[in-house]
Amino acid sequence: MRGPVWGIVTAGIGVLMIGLLVAWGTAYGTWLDEIGPFIDDPSAAPEAPTIILPGLVGLLAVALVVGGVVIAVTTGPERETRGR
């Protein structure tokens, strides 16, 4: 595969990761809505998940999208020259 194809594939993986993070964020928001009244009572509420890991994955996804698009736009198909 050539550079532009890998760039588009990389950007696609980044977009897929962002989509999965949105789905995870929706589930996290639902969890917060359900557990919200119990957050002040440490014995009633389980430990809330942190945002650190999803944040790092989100930054990686954005880097994949940006890098993939840059690679796809700046590289062209390599041409083979015929030796005569």
Side-chain angles (χ1 to χ4, degrees):
M1 282 196 249
R2 304 279 185 204
V5 174
W6 280 116
I8 295 299
V9 168
T10 302
I13 291 170
V15 168
L16 178 66
M17 288 172 61
I18 291 171
L20 290 173
L21 280 172
V22 167
W24 182 87
T26 302
Y28 180 69
T30 302
W31 181 86
L32 282 178
D33 287 344
E34 292 172 356
I35 204 68
F38 302 109
I39 287 181
D40 291 335
D41 184 9
S43 63
E47 187 173 327
T50 64
I51 198 69
I52 295 170
L53 182 60
L56 293 175
V57 172
L59 289 174
L60 175 63
V62 169
L64 284 173
V65 171
V66 170
V69 169
V70 167
I71 293 296
V73 170
T74 59
T75 59
E78 297 176 11
R79 300 176 190 260
E80 294 182 18
T81 58
R82 296 183 189 192
R84 293 187 182 197

